Amino acid sequence: DVLGSRGLGDVYKRQIQIKSELTEIQALSLCFVCNFIIANQNIIIAKRKMLIAKTNMLIDYFFHWDD
């Protein structure tokens, strides 16, 4: 053996550690993307609700013939 060389077991353990770190980064990235999508969906829903409310106000204003 050469001083400082690694055995196959050490290399395998390092590969598992790297894969584990990548998996954690990928999981965090996925969480970030999901939260971003949910936030945008909530904004879209809020805008739609506001548009519906404004449309209903206009309908009431122009087509309210009971008065």
Side-chain angles (χ1 to χ4, degrees), residues 44-63:
I44 290 168
I45 290 168
K47 286 182 178 181
R48 284 183 182 164
K49 286 181 179 179
M50 186 179 299
L51 182 60
I52 290 169
K54 288 179 179 180
T55 302
N56 288 336
M57 287 173 54
L58 287 172
I59 290 170
D60 286 345
Y61 180 77
F62 286 110
F63 300 105

Side-chain angles (χ1 to χ4, degrees), residues 2-67:
V2 178
L3 185 63
S5 67
R6 293 181 176 218
L8 290 178
D10 291 335
V11 172
Y12 181 71
K13 288 176 189 175
R14 180 73 182 133
Q15 287 175 344
I16 291 174
Q17 181 182 358
I18 290 171
K19 287 181 181 179
S20 174
E21 290 170 2
L22 284 176
T23 303
E24 184 177 341
I25 291 169
Q26 290 167 340
L28 290 172
S29 297
L30 182 60
C31 287
F32 175 79
V33 170
C34 288
N35 286 333
F36 181 78
I37 290 170
I38 290 169
N40 281 332
Q41 286 295 92
N42 289 338
I43 291 169
I44 290 168
I45 290 168
K47 286 182 178 181
R48 284 183 182 164
K49 286 181 179 179
M50 186 179 299
L51 182 60
I52 290 169
K54 288 179 179 180
T55 302
N56 288 336
M57 287 173 54
L58 287 172
I59 290 170
D60 286 345
Y61 180 77
F62 286 110
F63 300 105
H64 192 69
W65 295 315
D66 294 336
D67 292 340

